[in-house]
Amino acid sequence: MPAEDSRPAKRVKLENEDSFHPDLLSQETRDKIAAAFKVSKPYLHCKIDQLVNDSLLRQVRKEIFDNLHFTLKETDIYKVWQTGDLANLDGLPEDELAKLPSIFKLRNVIYSQDFRDFVSHITGCGPLSGKKADMSINNYLNGCHLLNHDDVIGTRRVSFILYLTDPDEKWDPKNGGALELYPVVEKGTPANDPTLIIPPQWNQFVMFTVQPGHSFHSVEEVVPVGKPRLSISGWFHIPQEGELGYQEGMDSEGPQSSLQQLEAPDSSEDYTHYAEELDEDATEGLTEGDLKELIEWINPQYLDMSILSTISDKFVEESVIQCKEFIRPDLAQQIEKATLQEDEEEGFATEEMVPHGTGVGNGWEVQGPPHKHRYMVTASDVQPDGQSSASLLHKLESFFATQSFRRWLAVVTQLIAKGYRGGARKFRPGLDYTLATQNTRGQAILDVTLGLSSTKDRQAAAKWESDEFGGYECYMAPHDDEEDPATYKAADEDGALLTLSAASNTLSIVLRDEGVMRFIKYVSARAPGCRWDISLEYDLPEDAEDDDDENEGDD
Amino acid sequence: MAPADKKRPRGLKGVAAQKAAKKSKIENEDDKTQTVILDKEVEEGDELGEVTALYESAKEKSAMGESTDVVLPLLRGTIHECDRILRNWEAEEPIPASFHLTYGSALFDLGTMLDDKELNSFLDAAKERLDIGFDTLKELDTLEESDKKTESKLRIAMAKLILSNAREADENAKEVHSSIVKGLDHLKQAVSSGLLSADDILEAINIAQTNADFQDVLQNMQPLNDWAQEQYTKLLNDDKENVVALSGMGNCHLTLANYWLGKVDTLDDEESDTKTELKEEETKAAEQLKKGIDYYKRVLSVPEIDLEVKGDNTINLAEALINLANVTIDEEEQQKKYQEAVTLLSEFKEQTGVELPEELDSFVEEWNAQ
């Protein structure tokens, strides 16, 4: 009879082992995944092809579609259909919970001690909370997307996504919906384009450690109708009070999230200042010299004092004005021809996802970083007198910096600009956007944007007007400080002050007061083409705020 | 313009905040603003139609017995809308007489629902409005049928107002009689126009009868009561089961009976222990009570009358029976009538669960306790 100590150790069956793919939690598998994790690029992550027991996951998918209600949520940074937080499952009435046994089981399995140990072993991130379950079900339908961010919010430690795409139809990468991971140029600044693209697949599990300034990622837009990209995503949090590994004060500290980083203060030094001073009487009218210059590019009707007076009255009342057919027709036509042609040549009018990097060249280069914005600007070496879109817009852009335009603005807005910044931009479908930034200048800023998004027909124009394909400029009231930055506003909450659709040859002037946020909504891959514009911000004198306060009692 | 006077733009947020503040101010100032869903069809933009429909709604709810909490806001709303229409009326042609009818009627109805001390000012305003309505019709070269109908309705409204004034005046004043004559004349002209609906005719007759009941002087009461009887009789000739006419006839007799009972000198009764004969007034009262009882019983025998009609007529019948018992010499007959009243009231209460008026309830309780 063998001695007791020579018998092989009894293998301990792990909690919920049957719920996972066979052998997932074995030591061999753990070590293999951990090794791959350590060398993963562009930052630490892992991809597991088959995480969960296939039958269980199929049950989960069925329960989701049979019983759960999705709400569309849309902000500057995402558009996604979401259910409620699965952490709140325990609070559901018994009869409702009885309809979701597999979802309930899956949640418990993911936050089980054994799986958390598995995750800790692979990522080396230390103990994880079993108390703070934080996961939700997301369905990315056509047009849905999630733009660049680093997930650094609150006490998140490990992000994960479990994909529940159609188990019987392999996901085609052309559909979009890929997880895109970005390297950093320096800590806190992601590169303009991702270097790793992971299309979703049934039962695939991806996770990465939430690293401030490093773990930048996005979810590519799902393009076609009828291909839902269903997933369960969530976070493992650091241990909470009463749990092993809890450290007091850790939940209140934390680096600034990428969201918070976007709100650095603005100052007059960030603007190019006019060399000359301008008197207050510039608001009264234009000089001969002004008219001579302006008529070179502005539609003559906008040089007629009676029309300018009417426009000015409206602007003073509403703080926003739009001037259609703003630039001269012959110039507008030139730009229209060049931009439509370029959209065609670069494949931006095909309603399909284009690869990152499309559109670079021809005088355009990408302006990042993508956790704030991504769009194209004219390159420094653009040909000044060419017929390309870059040349034409670069030239047009220069008119907005002239003294004559400054005086025109003074007449219309009754405000004297003392500096400016900005220029021509091109927002590519499927790629470009700006995220909401707040006016932190300490006073109002004058936004002047010339929309140059031409369309080949009425149907295309209607697409822009619908705002369903992005490309619109949105001004939002400032959010309350009490709001959890991880909480996004639902699509139907009334926070928008103003929405301006992408338009052709239309000048918009907006006085954006302190705290007001604005963004250009991500342009969908199915948009009629690029959003083209020339966008400038004009800095105002420091005492403009006092004048506004005096006038508040006038009504 | 000097720079200090120049208006500057406020900024998007400032404009939005100001608009929100203005909206909030309007909402706060007009807390009683209510959206009323009119159950009548009115063409969009037809302000006059809408205000008429609003008043009709108030009138219907009042007739259905809805509380003042429900009716008052509708009447106030009618007046508010009428004021607004008047202020903004820019058309060359004058506002139609029907508008003044609505306005005046609403003023009158509101006045009668509020405190007594406010009544006179409302009545004055209502009269002014109705007078303008009549003047407007006089200005017309020709009167269409609709104008004549409006004129008849104006007469009814004016009659209501004049007769209401007569109620408030000192009963011995000469003015009371002339007001009654004037009011009655309006009602007669309105009904004889032949343009009123059956409901409007009934309203006119009921006005006469109700106001007759308020009068203690025969020469003031009788013209109204007699005319009402005459009109109810005409209606019954067309339809002998016309419940409103039957009730109205019962009320006419009850009014006369109450008049005669009011004339009975009760001091005489105290001088004698047993009563052997009825006084003249008692006899006359008994005569009217019997006739009234007969009509109320006819109402209650009409199949499928609604609960309100049943209730009103049950109570009137019971009161009439009790009053008749009070002027019945024969004790056995007297007791029979009391018993009949008690049985009637008890059965009604049991079948419907409706609470009886306090004095009748007490009467039934005391009787049953014997």
Side-chain angles (χ1 to χ4, degrees):
Chain A
M1 198 158 139
E4 273 189 11
D5 57 5
S6 68
R7 277 187 298 181
K10 198 170 167 183
R11 183 177 171 279
V12 174
K13 191 166 181 330
L14 295 167
E15 185 189 359
N16 300 310
E17 194 171 337
D18 294 339
S19 300
F20 290 102
H21 197 69
D23 286 334
L24 178 78
L25 302 183
S26 70
Q27 195 60 51
E28 191 190 333
T29 309
R30 285 178 202 235
D31 290 342
K32 194 173 159 189
I33 298 172
F37 184 88
K38 282 191 178 71
V39 298
S40 57
K41 300 279 183 213
Y43 52 83
L44 299 172
H45 74 278
C46 78
K47 176 169 80 83
I48 298 168
D49 290 334
Q50 302 278 314
L51 183 81
V52 173
N53 174 287
D54 190 80
S55 306
L56 172 61
L57 201 62
R58 280 177 185 261
Q59 266 305 113
V60 167
R61 184 177 151 96
K62 186 175 185 316
E63 278 174 18
I64 289 169
F65 284 128
D66 287 350
N67 299 298
L68 296 185
H69 173 72
F70 286 85
T71 309
L72 178 63
K73 294 197 174 171
E74 184 168 15
T75 65
D76 59 328
I77 201 171
Y78 68 45
K79 180 176 177 178
V80 65
W81 292 81
Q82 269 188 341
T83 65
D85 186 351
L86 293 182
N88 294 329
L89 278 179
D90 299 304
L92 285 177
E94 268 190 45
D95 57 326
E96 285 187 40
L97 207 51
K99 293 180 194 168
L100 313 170
S102 300
I103 295 175
F104 193 66
K105 186 173 182 183
L106 181 66
R107 188 204 67 175
N108 292 344
V109 151
I110 286 175
Y111 286 93
S112 66
Q113 185 68 59
D114 282 330
F115 191 68
R116 281 184 283 125
D117 288 346
F118 172 84
V119 171
S120 295
H121 177 81
I122 287 167
T123 62
C125 66
L128 297 167
S129 173
K131 250 164 94 171
K132 190 164 180 173
D134 180 5
M135 55 193 267
S136 64
I137 302 172
N138 303 301
N139 203 5
Y140 287 71
L141 302 181
N142 58 288
C144 291
H145 55 270
L146 171 56
L147 301 177
N148 190 287
H149 63 289
D150 64 3
D151 267 10
V152 174
I153 287 175
T155 58
R156 296 169 175 176
R157 179 154 278 167
V158 175
S159 296
F160 65 83
I161 313 105
L162 175 62
Y163 297 94
L164 285 89
T165 51
D166 191 332
D168 301 316
E169 186 184 324
K170 201 166 152 62
W171 184 269
D172 184 348
K174 277 197 201 147
N175 293 342
L179 178 66
E180 301 174 313
L181 306 192
Y182 291 70
V184 292
V185 172
E186 59 182 13
K187 184 181 172 182
T189 305
N192 288 338
D193 299 322
T195 51
L196 182 63
I197 294 175
I198 306 173
Q201 287 302 342
W202 167 253
N203 208 0
Q204 179 178 273
F205 183 81
V206 175
M207 66 177 174
F208 53 86
T209 319
V210 175
Q211 298 168 79
H214 282 284
S215 51
F216 291 99
H217 59 284
S218 58
V219 177
E220 197 184 26
E221 179 187 352
V222 170
V223 181
V225 176
K227 300 288 181 194
R229 175 201 183 274
L230 186 68
S231 63
I232 293 175
S233 61
W235 296 269
F236 290 103
H237 287 254
I238 59 175
Q240 305 294 294
E241 193 175 345
E243 291 185 297
L244 187 68
Y246 171 68
Q247 287 178 47
E248 202 177 322
M250 274 297 285
D251 48 1
S252 55
E253 284 175 26
Q256 264 195 335
S257 66
S258 54
L259 195 62
Q260 288 165 317
Q261 287 163 28
L262 294 174
E263 295 169 6
D266 192 16
S267 79
S268 134
E269 280 143 26
D270 299 318
Y271 295 80
T272 304
H273 286 250
Y274 290 102
E276 297 167 33
E277 287 291 322
L278 201 62
D279 283 339
E280 193 61 36
D281 60 10
T283 61
E284 303 290 321
L286 299 167
T287 66
E288 281 285 329
D290 292 334
L291 291 169
K292 211 168 154 191
E293 259 187 42
L294 294 169
I295 206 161
E296 291 295 310
W297 62 287
I298 293 181
N299 192 320
Q301 68 176 336
Y302 292 110
L303 302 179
D304 179 324
M305 267 319 289
S306 62
I307 290 178
L308 286 182
S309 180
T310 307
I311 294 170
S312 178
D313 287 346
K314 182 139 191 233
F315 182 79
V316 167
E317 195 56 40
E318 300 288 334
S319 292
V320 55
I321 193 78
Q322 280 199 301
C323 304
K324 294 187 195 284
E325 309 296 326
F326 185 70
I327 60 170
R328 273 177 34 190
D330 54 334
L331 195 51
Q333 216 170 7
Q334 264 188 306
I335 292 170
E336 180 179 304
K337 188 176 167 202
T339 54
L340 284 176
Q341 191 176 331
E342 214 158 289
D343 276 350
E344 195 71 43
E345 285 167 0
E346 290 174 345
F348 286 131
T350 59
E351 299 195 7
E352 284 179 9
M353 186 59 75
V354 295
H356 284 273
T358 305
V360 173
N362 270 342
W364 292 97
E365 59 190 27
V366 178
Q367 174 89 61
H371 72 309
K372 294 185 183 180
H373 49 237
R374 182 171 58 212
Y375 53 85
M376 307 203 83
V377 294
T378 55
S380 50
D381 60 351
V382 69
Q383 266 191 334
D385 294 310
Q387 289 302 300
S388 68
S389 64
S391 298
L392 291 169
L393 264 63
H394 184 73
K395 186 174 178 183
L396 191 55
E397 176 191 307
S398 67
F399 295 148
F400 284 86
T402 59
Q403 272 289 109
S404 54
F405 186 70
R406 185 189 184 193
R407 293 170 72 88
W408 184 92
L409 264 187
V411 170
V412 169
T413 66
Q414 297 296 295
L415 299 168
I416 307 287
K418 58 175 206 175
Y420 58 89
R421 65 184 178 194
R425 304 183 303 187
K426 175 177 167 181
F427 292 82
R428 299 163 294 170
L431 294 173
D432 295 337
Y433 54 89
T434 70
L435 294 184
T437 50
Q438 203 168 37
N439 173 0
T440 55
R441 176 69 183 86
Q443 59 183 45
I445 297 171
L446 192 62
D447 295 334
V448 177
T449 307
L450 176 64
L452 295 164
S453 306
S454 303
T455 46
K456 57 184 181 196
D457 54 37
R458 183 67 211 129
Q459 198 180 7
K463 279 184 156 181
W464 281 131
E465 286 160 20
S466 75
D467 294 337
E468 289 296 313
F469 302 93
Y472 54 84
E473 181 149 44
C474 185
Y475 286 80
M476 304 281 294
H479 54 68
D480 294 331
D481 287 337
E482 295 87 45
E483 276 180 15
D484 179 355
T487 306
Y488 292 100
K489 286 182 194 276
D492 57 358
E493 276 186 332
D494 186 23
L497 290 170
L498 176 68
T499 302
L500 301 168
S501 306
S504 174
N505 196 9
T506 302
L507 186 81
S508 305
I509 308 176
V510 177
L511 186 65
R512 177 172 36 125
D513 27 358
E514 195 186 347
V516 171
M517 306 174 78
R518 72 165 180 168
F519 60 90
I520 300 288
K521 179 65 190 173
Y522 163 81
V523 179
S524 168
R526 293 169 67 222
C530 292
R531 172 194 161 104
W532 302 80
D533 68 26
I534 292 173
S535 176
L536 284 108
E537 295 166 280
Y538 290 85
D539 196 31
L540 298 170
E542 303 282 326
D543 63 357
E545 194 72 5
D546 293 334
D547 289 346
D548 292 347
D549 288 341
E550 277 170 24
N551 285 315
E552 270 173 22
D554 285 357
D555 296 310
Chain B
M1 199 191 327
D5 297 324
K6 242 185 215 180
K7 208 168 167 191
R8 301 267 193 222
R10 286 173 217 94
L12 273 189
K13 191 177 70 171
V15 169
Q18 193 186 43
K19 282 180 182 171
K22 264 191 188 163
K23 190 178 167 213
S24 171
K25 190 178 172 207
I26 289 166
E27 282 169 356
N28 289 338
E29 279 172 356
D30 201 0
D31 279 338
K32 290 170 189 166
T33 300
Q34 199 176 339
T35 300
V36 175
I37 297 171
L38 299 173
D39 52 12
K40 298 172 193 321
E41 273 192 33
V42 180
E43 258 187 58
E44 202 175 316
D46 177 11
E47 289 181 316
L48 297 176
E50 278 176 14
V51 81
T52 304
L54 187 59
Y55 173 66
E56 294 295 326
S57 189
K59 222 171 130 179
E60 266 169 30
K61 292 203 187 297
S62 179
M64 277 161 55
E66 292 272 8
S67 71
T68 51
D69 286 346
V70 170
V71 178
L72 276 176
L74 293 171
L75 289 174
R76 286 199 176 102
T78 304
I79 291 164
H80 178 81
E81 280 304 296
C82 286
D83 279 336
R84 190 185 59 76
I85 291 169
L86 259 183
R87 273 198 315 272
N88 299 333
W89 191 263
E90 286 172 352
E92 276 186 28
E93 66 272 16
I95 301 183
S98 57
F99 166 82
H100 301 291
L101 169 64
T102 301
Y103 199 172
S105 302
L107 284 164
F108 175 81
D109 290 351
L110 185 61
T112 55
M113 280 190 170
L114 297 175
D115 279 338
D116 282 342
K117 56 189 176 193
E118 292 192 59
L119 176 61
N120 283 340
S121 54
F122 275 96
L123 292 186
D124 290 342
K127 186 171 183 304
E128 189 187 332
R129 224 8 87 188
L130 296 175
D131 281 336
I132 295 173
F134 281 118
D135 290 341
T136 305
L137 289 171
K138 279 186 195 149
E139 299 288 314
L140 295 174
D141 295 329
T142 49
L143 289 180
E144 306 283 340
E145 189 171 299
S146 58
D147 298 319
K148 291 178 185 174
K149 194 172 173 182
T150 300
E151 189 185 7
S152 296
K153 288 187 170 189
L154 276 166
R155 289 193 180 283
I156 295 175
M158 189 61 92
K160 252 190 342 190
L161 193 148
I162 291 171
L163 293 172
S164 172
N165 268 335
R167 291 206 297 257
E168 304 301 315
D170 179 356
E171 64 182 25
N172 291 321
K174 276 186 189 169
E175 298 92 75
V176 172
H177 185 71
S178 73
S179 292
I180 285 171
V181 168
K182 220 187 221 174
L184 184 58
D185 186 54
H186 274 302
L187 291 174
K188 284 178 179 175
Q189 287 198 57
V191 170
S192 65
S193 72
L195 296 169
L196 292 176
S197 65
D199 284 346
D200 288 337
I201 291 171
L202 272 169
E203 188 192 356
I205 305 169
N206 287 342
I207 288 169
Q209 206 295 304
T210 311
N211 280 280
D213 202 45
F214 272 101
Q215 299 299 328
D216 293 331
V217 175
L218 194 63
Q219 69 154 350
N220 293 337
M221 180 267 280
Q222 207 150 32
L224 290 166
N225 212 46
D226 286 351
W227 181 78
Q229 275 193 64
E230 195 186 292
Q231 298 306 310
Y232 287 134
T233 305
K234 277 186 189 170
L235 292 174
L236 286 169
N237 288 341
D238 290 335
D239 173 16
K240 60 181 190 233
E241 286 192 341
N242 184 325
V243 162
V244 178
L246 286 170
S247 288
M249 285 297 283
N251 293 343
C252 286
H253 290 293
L254 204 63
T255 294
L256 277 164
N258 286 337
Y259 170 78
W260 290 118
L261 287 171
K263 289 292 165 211
V264 171
D265 188 352
T266 51
L267 285 174
D268 289 350
D269 290 341
E270 288 169 15
E271 289 171 10
S272 128
D273 288 333
T274 53
K275 200 167 173 152
T276 54
E277 62 180 27
L278 291 176
K279 298 190 180 79
E280 189 189 346
E281 297 87 353
E282 285 172 327
T283 305
K284 285 181 177 174
E287 210 177 285
Q288 294 302 323
L289 285 166
K290 283 175 189 167
K291 288 179 180 174
I293 285 166
D294 184 52
Y295 278 108
Y296 290 135
K297 282 183 175 176
R298 278 172 66 179
V299 172
L300 293 174
S301 68
V302 172
E304 294 177 6
I305 51 171
D306 73 38
L307 184 60
E308 200 182 334
V309 170
K310 188 170 181 176
D312 286 346
N313 284 276
T314 300
I315 285 162
N316 287 344
L317 175 55
E319 281 181 357
L321 282 165
I322 292 167
N323 282 332
L324 184 58
N326 288 344
V327 294
T328 300
I329 302 285
D330 185 274
E331 210 171 303
E332 201 182 318
E333 276 303 309
Q334 190 186 56
Q335 294 301 305
K336 265 188 192 169
K337 284 176 180 42
Y338 284 139
Q339 182 63 61
E340 192 182 344
V342 166
T343 306
L344 178 74
L345 290 169
S346 304
E347 278 176 6
F348 174 75
K349 190 174 171 180
E350 210 174 287
Q351 283 163 14
T352 65
V354 174
E355 287 298 320
L356 297 172
E358 201 182 321
E359 60 277 12
L360 289 175
D361 208 29
S362 306
F363 180 84
V364 169
E365 258 184 55
E366 281 167 21
W367 180 268
N368 288 332
Q370 283 177 354

